[in-house]
Every structure is written in C-alpha cells, then in structure tokens.
Amino acid sequence: MTTHLLVAPPATGKTQACLEHLRAALGERPFAPAWVLVPDKTQADQMRTRLAGTGTVLAAHVATFSDLHLEILEKAGRVLPMAGSVMLHRLLQEVIHGLGQAGMMTYYGGISALPGFLLEIQSRIGELKRALVTPERLAQAAQSGTYPGLVELARIYAAYQSRLQELNWADEEGLSWLAQAALKDDKTLLADLAILIVDGFDSFTPAQLNTLQALAGRAAETWITLPGTPDMQRPAHRRFRPVLEALRTGGETALETLAGPPHLPPTLRHLEAGLFETTLQTAPNGSDLALIEARSPVEEAREALRWIKARIVRDQVPLAGCGVALPELETYRSPLQAAANEFGLPLRFSQGALLAATPAAAALSDLLGLALNDFPRRALLDTIRSPYFDPASASLQREDARLLEIASRYGQVVQGLAQWEETLNLLASQNQDQEAAAEIAGEEESGVPRLPVGAEAARLLAGLRTLAGRLAPPDGELPLKEWVRWLAELLQDLGFYKCLAGEAGLVVTYDRMLMALAGSEALTGPVPVRYAGFLKEWQGLEAAAWVLDDERDAPPAVRVMGLMEARGVRLEALAVLDLAEGAFPAVERADPFLPEDVRQALGMQTRFGQEQAGLFYQVVTRPDRFLLLTRPYLAKGGESWEPSPYWNAVLERLTLKADRIRPEDTRPLNEAASPEELLFWSSRRQSQAGLEPPQALVGPLAARWKHIAETRPILEARLQKEAGGAYDGSLAGINQELGQRYGSRSRWSASRLESYATCPFFFLASSALGLEVIEPPQLGYQANQLGSLLHAVLEHVYQEAPDPTDTVDVLARLPGVAGHIFEQAPQEYHFRPSLLWDVQQEELLKILQKTIQGIADFDPNGGWRPLAFELQFGLGDSPPLVMSMGILLHGLVDRVDVTPQGLLRIIDYKSGSSHLAPQDLINGRRLQLPIYALAAEQALQRGSAVEGFYWTLFQGKVSPLKLSTFECELGTGPQAAFDLAESHVKTIVGLIRQGAFEPVPPQGGCPEYCPAAAWCWHFTPGRS
Ligand code: SF4
C-alpha cells in the first residue's frame, strides 16, 4: 500500500492533518490498532495531550521506535531481556579488559581503562548499530590498515556483540535489528494496523528506515510527515532533502503537501518565509519576536527567564506552554536555575545534571574513599558534617565535626585513625582537671565550640570508632552483587536516602544504579573484586550517569531542552539562547574513532556538513505566539563575542535592532521579575537622582531594604581610592574604649608595633581582634615552630659551654645538645614529624653549625663574648622598658654579647631574610634591634649598646641593618636608631589609641599570614 509522505513547512498543520486521518481510519475500524510514532518522550507527551484535546477517544498507541520494536518482538514471541546502560557499561568494560589481557588492545591500550574511553566506545557502537553496520562490515572496513584504531574498535564491537548474543540479551539498538528480522520472517505481524503515523521527525537512522520499509504495506494507511516543501529547494530545507529521498526509495510513496500558510504570528511567518533566502525582504518586527544581547550567559539566562515570566503574566501563556532551547545545556543549567529560583519559575530540564557533578555524588565519593585512604582529616570532617548523611547511627551529630576539627588542630591530626585515637585519648584523659577548673572558676557555657576534653572527647572517639567500623569494607574479593548489598545497607544506615528528601531524581538515579550494577553480573558472570576495584567501578558509573527525572506527579514547569529535542515540539513561547559564534552552529570536528571516509563508506551520518541551518529553521518555527532569541556579547575573557551567523540571518530580515542589555542601564521598573530586582532597580534610580527609594516599595520589603541600606556605605567605602571611614579601618568612634584598652598599663612587644607599621588593619585583625590564619594540620613543623626550635638549641649550646667564645668546643657540644632538643621537639612544640624528620635534623644541625661558626668569624679578633641568652624584659618579674609617654615594652632578647670594656652587642636570630634593611627601621617595620638594645642596657646595667644586627639562620649572614652603621635624618649610629625607634613607638601607640586602623598594603605586597587577607579589599598579592 502507498505510503503518504506529507511534506510542508513548519506549522502548516501536518500533525493536524494526520490526526484527521487517524480519526477517519478509526472511525471505519474502531477496534483496529493504530500507531503514532514520534521521536522522543517529550513529543510523545505532547502528542497524547493533543489527542486528548480532540474531544473524541482515539485509541492510538503514541510511542517511539523503541516502543514499537518491543511490541513487534512481543507479538512475535521473541522478547529478549534488554540490558540497561549500566549493565552495558559493565559488559563493555569486561570485553575491553579481556581484549587488553589478550594483547589485542595495543593502539588504545593506554586509555582503554578510562571511563571517558568507555563512554565514547559505547556511543560509537550504538551509532554503528543504528546505521545497520554489523561487526563484520566494520572489520572489513578496517582491513585496509589505514586506521589502526579502527581495527581495535572492530574487535571490541565484535566481542561485545558476540558476548551479548551468547548471553541472549539485547541492547536497545539490537532490539531494532531483531524486530526487523521478526517482521521479515512473519508477514502477518502488525498487518492489522488501521493506520501508522510517523510525525515530528526531520531525519531517520538507517535502522528506523528499515523498520518503516518493513512495515510498509502492513498498515491500511501510512502517513509520514516531514518539514520542507516537495522540491526541497530552499537552503533552509536542505537538511531534509536526503531524508525525503531515502523515504521515497523504500517502496511506493505518494508525495503530498499542504497549501495553506504557516499558522505562525506575523513576524515569525515572515521569518520562516525568508530565512536563509538570498533575496532580502525586510519587514518590521512585531511583538512576537524579540532579540536580546546580554553581557554573559548568566545575564542571558536571566533575561530569557524574565521574558518568559512577562509572557506568563502579561500574555497569559501557561507555564507548560513555555520553553527554553539551547545548543549546550550544561553551561546554562546553574544560571537558569538560579534565576528561576529568584523569579519563582519552576523549570524542568529535559536531561538531568551529570551525576558526578552533583554535591551528593561528591559527598558519597568522600564517604566511600575514607576507609581506603586511611581516613584523611578533611574528608572525614566533611562527611560528618555533610547534609547528605546522618551520623546518628554512629552516635555522632553533624555539629561534632567542629569539635573534631578543633581537636585535630590540637593533636595535629592529618590522617589515620591512629592519630585520632592518640589525640582523643589524650584529650579524654584531661577530663577531671579541666572540667573541675572550669566549675571552680564558675565558667558559663559560651556556646562557642571549644577543645573537647574528658567525657566529650571520649564520646567523640567512640563515635569515630563506630563510624570507622561501619565504613570498613569486607576483606578480600566479593562479587559485585555483594558489594552492592553492602553499599545499599551502608547508605541506609547513614540515612542517605532520607537526607535526599526533596531531590527525588537523585533517589531514583542511585536506586537504579545499584540495581543495575547488581544485575550486571547476569551479563558478565560474577566479578569478584576487592573494595578498591568496586570503588573504581562505582566511580566510573557515576562519571557516566545523569540524574534521572522523577516525573511522578510533576507539576507544570517551563521546559528547558536541547535544540534537537525542541525541533518537534510546539510551544506558545520559546526562548532560544546562546546564538554566539562557535556555539551555534557548533564547530564540526572529525571523529577520531570513525573517520569521515569510513563513515561515508559505511553509510553513516558524517560529522561534517550537518546542515545545522535546517535545525535552526525548525527551532525558530516552534512557537505559536512568541519567540525570543538571545546571545552573549562578551566572552569569558571580556573581549567581544561575535554573534552566530544565524543571528545575523534573522536580523537581515528585520528592520529593528536587537535590544542590548547593559548591567549599568536604568531599567523600567515594570520589567523587574522579582522583589529583589524591583527594589534594587528602584533604589538605583532614586539614588542616581539623589533620592531615597519610595516608601511604597520599601514598606513591603523592609527587611531587604534594611540590608541594602546597611551595605550601601560599605560599598561606597570600597569605591574610594584612599582607605578611610568606619567601614574601612577607622575606629575613631570608639577611641575612648581604645584609649583605655591601650592605656598607660598596656605592655607592647616590638613585633606588635611592627605589625602596625606593616599595615594598621593587619594589626587590628591580628593583634586587636586576635584573629589568625588557621592552617590545616600538616606533617612536619611549621615555620614558627622551627624558629623556636633553633633558638632553643643555640641558647642551650652556648650556655652549656664553659667558655662560649671557644667555638671549637661549642661546635663539639652542638650535636649532643641539638639531638636532645630534637628528640623532645615534637612533644614540646606540638608537631607531628614527617618521614623526612631524620633528614631534616641533619640539615638543621648544619644550619646551626654554620650560625655558630659564622657569628664567630664575624668577630675575628674575639672581642665579643656572650653575656646573656633569651634575656627577658617586662616579662615575669623583670621590669619593662619604659619609653616616652610612659609606654611600657616587653620582649625577649635572643643574645647579648659584651666586650671587656662593657660595651653591648645585640643579636636577634631570624628564620626569614626579608625586611632586614635600614629602610625597614626608617619606616617602622623593624623596631626590635633598637628596642632590645635599650632594654639590654637597662636590664644588664653593664654599659652602652654599640652594636646590634639580625642573623639570618638559613642564609648564615648578618642583616644589612646594623646599629653601628645606621643612618637616618636624626643622625647616625645606635643613638639615631634609638631616637627613631622611640619616635615610631610614640606615633604608633598614639594612632592605635585614636583608632586609626586604615589598611595600607605594604610595599612588596601583603603578608600571606595576614588574617584579614581573606576579606580585606585592599589586599595586594606579593612576597610575604
Ligand atoms: S590584606 Fe594587606 S592591606 Fe589588608 S590588612 Fe592585610 S596587610 Fe593590610
């Protein structure tokens, strides 16, 4: 029987015509089967809605080709179990592994275990099958040897196919082959069809064409629709020309068309008629077509959803009648979702997010890796505080992560249960004293987490032990089925599914993955693996999976889909995004697995010449009422981004320009799509006019306005060149309190004063507020611990020597003294030695030798002999150094030497070597030497300090700044240094008392240990 090919431009009523034929056919034979084939689920849903809307009951199967193939096989009694994507992934993995073991994967050997390779191969096998290319044909094509990779692809394909056949399973494409074979063998199959309608396609795979040809003549009527015109002469129709030719070669066909114009609004009708035509006929565009240029994809997504909301509110377009179409979904997923949340628009994506990119997958990955990686600190804490797990089954709470974090810093826990045990046991033993002391002191619970001790530490330890026990995988090799059981129980125990409430798609996805993985051994046979192997398997599956949509009782929403999905649906309002050069049309690239000439020879679709213009033509003719086209005009780097040639092709047909949205532009308030936006736009308008926002707006949005009002002066402060004001370091408003806090009884160290001179805001953050940069625990010593350690060795070795000027003797004693201090160092200075500790001790010993020898060599005449080490002033019982204005100073002088005449020399050891020049004393950043010299004079009462320098331990050198040679505006030598230091101290303390803490980034950049660096907007990167 004749197959009717109904070819007509979009929106001319092809589907309607088919429904009329369906109604007529079923009117004659009400109980005969009728099928309507559509490309995908989205279109199937739309077709069902349309059938329901005809007002009569039309008993037709609305289905995809896959549904039809299954029906044929059921009727023929040849149904095979169909393997899902997870099972096929596993099967392919086994096949590739087997070929690799047999030495048959030399070309792809290096990458064959990667999840990405597996996905590519899985997709190529699907493509080959849809193109009806058998493994034998591919092997033949590979015989020339031109492409070594092709030989291996053919091997994989053959092994995969034979394994599937051995097991008597099928993949989706295989079902089409089997269905065609069944149709060939049994001419009576589906011979009772009253009508077959094939609608919404713009192309067919060879397998689909085969099915249509096999069915031709069985249905009393067959109607196939195609966009275009019977001659397919227009450039916009070029994409459909080969499809029509292929349909006409299969048997007796009648080519029909529809005469009427497309049922499109005026501008879109004009666009449809002229798109890609060479004769230019421009027309004014009406409200049915809009073009928007936005700065970035984020703003583009916002503008598109704002436009959709306007269509819903102003033009009464139903939610389900709105859609967004994009060339590439993932770039726009987050911006669209964020804008939709703000605008109160529900969205439904045609494809879920990549599972591996979801926070739940990241949390699960951390959890499953814990036991394997010996419980790394960060991942363990993240797991306990994760919203995806409930640690109650281990008698822990999420808040315990904070306590454990504090404990981990105390005990320098880096990794491993042993370190947790050691630390928490130690803290548990501190129970009695600390708790009792707290009680005696009448301390109240502050609510701020503090170091857990006693019973609390013991509880945490017990919880960690339980959790670790639960996470410990069974020993040895287990079949995947057993691993899946173990994992399912673990997830149940940790409340994973309960915590996923509200993310139904993830629950469905994980459920199916677990079931499919357990079932995959039905294909491959039992695969006993160790835990690491199972984990790799699981992560490979996660990397390849997409979050499934749980559509049960799904409420209406704006549909977000790819361009291919959009081409067959009809909507009332559609926004097409990302019409930028390189995005659409997509850049066509050769396929590294199946080169172009091979594709041509095998009758497959080629990667070049895909006629994307035809796809654009179809997409822009989807909406019945409104179309929006958008593009980003700036690329990521800030340079301008050219529009797509299709964008230009549309503009050529219109007399109006695209609407370019600049963030700084004043927008009409009636375009605001959310209360936040309304308030923001309104406030900006008013402030530009020097006015407060209207009360009518502020009233209902008082909380939001209060927030904006509070943030305004902060933002204004940020825009000033010079730092200043209450939001930028000035605490002048509390100078009285500061005057008290830093009054005459305060004691100052040189380093605190130096930190103010480095940057006043740095002082405020570190010294006044007591903030510090919290570094995660790490193996080995930290810089400050190393400094203390070296200082201690030098102090003790000189003190132990009967004659500290006898360098030979001091050096001889050094290994013994250092060895003893090194041995105690991890406990004394609270660090966890790394594996390099032994080597580091040798290196440190050399540094110390060099220091002792270097200082001795610096005094060849032997005039100086050590007088004091770690000399205190203003600490303990020792009196402070008193400077002008009664400022009290305290500190610890590393070393004081003396001459026979009683003259003093100050030495200060430094681990670093920066900022040790005379200029650093001149600008106040280094004050130690003169202050220490004055303190030593006062404390020792032996004579004047005539010399002083820093000794750089790692360079083994004297600093450029020396008291004896110092010069400044006030004079030369030590006295000039003393006078200058005194003047700095007076100025700094005065400014601190006045509350002057405006940030001034130091020359050479801010120190990396500045605690304000995380939020200070004056931060200037540089050397520390
Ligand atoms: S980041 Fe720089 S400018 Fe800001 S407080 Fe720290 S040192 Fe000063």
Side-chain angles (χ1 to χ4, degrees):
M1 261 162 272
T2 305
T3 298
H4 301 273
L5 302 178
L6 181 55
V7 183
T12 45
K14 295 188 292 296
T15 305
Q16 189 55 36
C18 286
L19 293 182
E20 294 302 325
H21 291 297
L22 178 70
R23 190 199 306 271
L26 289 178
E28 280 174 28
R29 296 171 56 196
F31 301 110
W35 280 75
V36 180
L37 290 181
V38 289
D40 53 40
K41 230 178 94 339
T42 310
Q43 293 194 43
D45 290 345
Q46 198 167 57
M47 180 61 84
R48 284 190 198 104
T49 311
R50 214 159 159 181
L51 280 176
T54 57
T56 47
V57 178
L58 295 176
H61 293 279
V62 179
T64 61
F65 268 96
S66 299
D67 302 326
L68 174 68
H69 293 142
L70 271 174
E71 173 82 5
I72 293 168
L73 290 173
E74 261 177 35
K75 282 193 181 304
R78 296 191 191 179
V79 178
L80 286 186
M82 192 170 90
S85 62
V86 171
M87 295 169 95
L88 292 173
H89 186 92
R90 286 275 317 117
L91 178 77
L92 198 54
Q93 200 172 30
E94 289 298 311
V95 163
I96 293 174
H97 181 68
L99 288 171
Q101 297 284 72
M104 297 172 82
M105 289 284 293
T106 50
Y107 186 76
Y108 285 128
I111 57 167
S112 63
L114 300 177
F117 177 75
L118 224 73
L119 288 178
E120 294 292 341
I121 297 296
Q122 205 168 352
S123 133
R124 294 314 179 286
I125 289 179
E127 216 186 326
L128 286 161
K129 288 187 141 187
R130 285 192 293 277
L132 301 175
V133 179
T134 59
E136 296 75 25
R137 267 186 74 204
L138 183 65
Q140 246 176 6
Q143 259 177 8
S144 70
T146 315
Y147 304 109
L150 199 60
V151 177
E152 296 193 2
L153 177 61
R155 273 187 203 138
I156 297 171
Y157 183 20
Y160 165 87
Q161 188 61 12
S162 81
R163 187 84 186 109
L164 261 186
Q165 283 166 353
E166 263 170 45
L167 296 162
N168 227 10
W169 279 65
D171 52 17
E172 189 178 337
E173 290 79 12
L175 287 185
S176 73
W177 292 16
L178 293 169
Q180 286 148 25
L183 286 173
K184 202 170 157 196
D185 294 346
D186 183 352
K187 302 289 179 206
T188 66
L189 270 179
L190 293 186
D192 56 345
L193 279 185
I195 186 166
L196 170 66
I197 291 170
V198 185
D199 186 42
F201 290 83
D202 70 345
S203 62
F204 296 95
T205 65
Q208 288 170 333
L209 281 173
N210 242 14
T211 303
L212 290 178
Q213 281 162 9
L215 282 173
R218 299 189 193 217
E221 258 183 280
T222 301
W223 288 87
I224 302 176
T225 66
L226 205 60
T229 50
D231 60 5
M232 297 289 191
Q233 287 304 307
R234 283 187 53 189
H237 298 162
R238 214 176 279 149
R239 179 181 174 86
F240 322 120
R241 196 184 298 159
V243 188
L244 180 61
E245 282 165 12
L247 285 169
R248 297 189 74 178
T249 54
E252 194 186 323
T253 54
L255 193 54
E256 304 187 23
T257 189
L258 294 167
H263 309 298
L264 291 170
T267 319
L268 296 190
R269 193 158 59 227
H270 172 78
L271 183 66
E272 187 283 326
L275 194 62
F276 303 125
E277 294 299 302
T278 46
T279 50
L280 277 184
Q281 282 183 343
T282 55
N285 58 327
S287 61
D288 53 318
L289 175 60
L291 286 95
I292 291 179
E293 296 172 324
R295 194 172 53 169
S296 65
V298 172
E299 285 157 51
E300 202 190 342
R302 237 181 130 76
E303 293 306 323
L305 291 187
R306 184 197 320 291
W307 177 86
I308 285 184
K309 188 164 179 180
R311 301 289 72 75
I312 293 169
V313 175
R314 293 183 189 150
D315 300 307
Q316 288 74 50
V317 176
L319 257 180
C322 299
V324 175
L326 310 144
E328 207 272 305
L329 219 61
E330 285 316 296
T331 318
Y332 285 82
R333 186 185 290 276
S334 303
L336 279 170
Q337 196 59 66
N341 292 345
E342 184 187 322
F343 296 173
L345 280 180
L347 295 186
R348 177 158 318 115
F349 289 84
S350 62
Q351 187 179 36
L354 194 60
L355 180 60
T358 61
L364 190 52
S365 172
D366 269 356
L367 175 93
L368 297 179
L370 284 177
L372 200 63
N373 300 314
D374 197 14
F375 297 91
R377 171 186 171 275
R378 182 82 265 153
L380 178 63
L381 296 175
D382 285 350
T383 296
I384 292 171
R385 66 162 68 96
S386 167
Y388 291 103
F389 308 113
D390 178 0
S393 61
S395 303
L396 288 171
Q397 301 161 5
R398 291 195 184 107
E399 299 71 42
D400 287 336
R402 185 77 186 105
L403 296 174
L404 287 165
E405 188 168 5
I406 296 170
S408 72
R409 275 203 293 275
Y410 170 83
Q412 294 296 304
V413 176
V414 179
Q415 187 172 37
L417 278 183
Q419 293 181 6
W420 282 109
E421 291 265 354
E422 181 192 346
T423 301
L424 290 170
N425 270 325
L426 183 67
L427 289 171
S429 70
Q430 293 177 11
N431 185 11
Q432 305 308 328
D433 291 351
Q434 289 205 359
E435 282 187 348
E439 270 176 32
I440 293 163
E443 273 182 21
E444 301 222 349
E445 273 296 324
S446 68
V448 177
R450 59 191 170 88
L451 186 66
V453 292
E456 191 158 43
R459 176 183 70 78
L460 292 171
L461 181 55
L464 277 191
R465 282 180 185 146
T466 311
L467 182 65
R470 190 62 194 85
L471 291 175
D475 274 340
E477 295 186 337
L478 290 180
L480 284 177
K481 207 162 83 181
E482 291 304 315
W483 282 118
V484 168
R485 192 198 310 274
W486 173 83
L487 177 56
E489 284 171 8
L490 175 69
L491 295 181
Q492 201 65 41
D493 282 0
L494 291 179
F496 182 63
Y497 292 112
K498 205 171 63 192
C499 296
L500 282 180
E503 297 189 68
L506 278 171
V507 175
V508 175
T509 309
Y510 275 113
D511 251 0
R512 296 223 182 133
M513 267 176 71
L514 285 168
M515 278 190 323
L517 187 56
S520 70
E521 283 179 326
L523 283 183
T524 58
V527 184
V529 283
R530 290 184 169 278
Y531 181 59
F534 165 68
L535 208 50
K536 199 169 155 209
E537 187 70 40
W538 178 256
Q539 283 163 349
L541 290 177
E542 271 189 327
W546 299 84
V547 178
L548 299 169
D549 200 5
D550 181 21
E551 291 186 334
R552 285 168 298 181
D553 305 323
V558 176
R559 272 181 277 176
V560 183
M561 55 207 145
L563 296 174
M564 294 296 275
E565 291 151 322
R567 68 204 154 139
V569 295
R570 292 225 64 81
L571 295 155
E572 289 196 42
L574 174 69
V576 184
L577 277 61
D578 205 12
L579 291 172
E581 189 183 41
F584 187 44
V587 179
E588 295 180 342
R589 292 191 174 86
D591 179 4
F593 293 94
L594 285 163
E596 285 297 278
D597 56 338
V598 175
R599 283 176 170 269
Q600 269 169 1
L602 294 173
M604 298 175 71
Q605 189 177 35
T606 53
R607 290 285 171 102
F608 291 107
Q610 292 199 357
E611 296 293 350
Q612 296 180 61
L615 178 60
F616 179 68
Y617 165 79
Q618 269 184 291
V619 172
V620 296
T621 51
R622 293 305 88 206
D624 290 331
R625 293 178 65 192
F626 301 103
L627 173 68
L628 169 72
L629 303 178
T630 71
R631 76 170 187 101
Y633 63 80
L634 284 188
K636 263 189 192 158
E639 66 276 17
S640 93
W641 196 349
E642 291 302 310
S644 153
Y646 302 159
W647 173 275
N648 293 333
V650 172
L651 281 181
E652 281 171 3
R653 303 277 137 203
L654 304 168
T655 52
L656 283 180
K657 280 187 167 179
D659 193 5
R660 176 167 288 209
I661 308 289
R662 293 174 191 81
E664 64 278 10
D665 286 349
T666 306
R667 307 284 297 263
L669 296 187
N670 63 356
E671 282 186 15
S674 68
E676 289 91 336
E677 210 168 55
L678 179 62
L679 190 58
F680 179 70
W681 288 359
S682 155
S683 306
R684 191 164 64 177
R685 273 170 165 242
Q686 296 291 103
S687 77
Q688 279 165 354
L691 301 169
E692 286 299 310
Q695 262 314 307
L697 267 180
V698 174
L701 298 166
R704 288 196 182 106
W705 171 244
K706 185 166 175 273
H707 177 67
I708 292 179
E710 281 167 0
T711 51
R712 180 175 156 171
I714 301 173
L715 289 172
E716 275 172 354
R718 281 188 175 214
L719 297 174
Q720 303 306 313
K721 248 185 172 174
E722 295 288 319
Y727 295 106
D728 208 6
S730 171
L731 294 188
I734 55 164
N735 60 356
Q736 287 200 344
E737 289 90 331
L738 289 167
Q740 278 176 6
R741 179 172 180 180
Y742 296 113
S744 57
R745 291 171 60 189
S746 286
R747 294 199 177 190
W748 300 89
S749 71
S751 58
R752 278 173 82 205
L753 297 165
E754 287 171 351
S755 76
Y756 185 94
T758 301
C759 167
F761 200 70
F762 171 39
F763 169 86
L764 176 69
S766 58
S767 180
L769 299 177
L771 302 178
E772 53 184 296
V773 177
I774 295 180
E775 300 283 356
Q778 60 184 41
L779 286 179
Y781 46 70
Q782 313 248 344
N784 59 338
Q785 294 163 331
L786 174 63
S788 306
L789 176 60
L790 295 176
H791 277 66
V793 176
L794 289 169
E795 179 192 355
H796 284 89
V797 74
Y798 280 115
Q799 279 176 344
E800 190 181 271
D803 176 7
T805 57
D806 183 351
T807 306
V808 176
D809 181 45
V810 174
L811 285 172
R813 291 169 187 274
L814 178 65
V817 173
H820 181 68
I821 291 175
F822 289 162
E823 199 183 327
Q824 309 292 325
Q827 293 80 38
E828 184 70 23
Y829 300 104
H830 278 290
F831 67 87
R832 197 172 283 283
S834 72
L835 291 175
L836 294 174
W837 180 223
D838 286 346
V839 180
Q840 286 168 332
Q841 290 180 47
E842 285 171 27
E843 285 172 357
L844 294 178
L845 197 59
K846 282 187 197 142
I847 287 163
L848 290 163
Q849 283 165 344
K850 203 169 155 191
T851 296
I852 293 165
Q853 190 63 56
I855 293 175
D857 293 347
F858 191 64
D859 177 27
N861 302 326
W864 296 101
R865 59 176 291 119
L867 176 64
F869 298 96
E870 306 293 314
L871 176 71
Q872 294 187 350
F873 60 99
L875 298 169
D877 296 333
S878 58
L881 173 66
V882 185
M883 282 197 164
S884 58
M885 280 169 45
I887 297 169
L888 309 177
L889 291 114
H890 67 87
L892 200 64
V893 187
D894 286 345
R895 168 171 165 170
V896 183
D897 293 348
V898 65
T899 63
Q901 298 76 31
L903 300 176
L904 302 179
R905 177 174 82 168
I906 311 302
I907 300 179
D908 193 70
Y909 306 124
K910 287 274 174 251
S911 307
S913 61
S914 55
H915 306 297
L916 302 177
Q919 188 58 36
D920 293 299
L921 171 54
I922 291 170
N923 61 28
R925 206 167 167 177
R926 284 287 177 205
L927 299 171
Q928 267 176 330
L929 282 183
I931 290 174
Y932 286 7
L934 288 170
E937 280 182 5
Q938 175 188 286
L940 298 169
Q941 298 290 318
R942 293 283 294 261
S944 305
V946 296
E947 181 58 295
F949 54 78
Y950 297 106
W951 181 266
T952 57
L953 292 165
F954 289 86
Q955 273 74 33
K957 279 200 265 180
V958 165
S959 63
L961 170 58
K962 290 204 287 285
L963 291 181
S964 60
T965 57
F966 180 71
E967 287 180 23
C968 69
E969 278 181 356
L970 302 177
T972 58
Q975 191 54 49
F978 299 155
D979 293 344
L980 183 61
E982 185 138 13
S983 135
H984 277 311
V985 170
K986 216 165 78 179
T987 309
I988 289 172
V989 172
L991 288 170
I992 290 172
R993 287 173 178 165
Q994 288 165 28
F997 301 114
E998 288 82 358
V1000 182
Q1003 268 191 349
C1006 300
E1008 62 189 25
Y1009 47 83
C1010 172
W1015 77 85
C1016 171
W1017 62 80
H1018 298 275
F1019 172 75
T1020 310
R1023 289 177 293 114
S1024 58

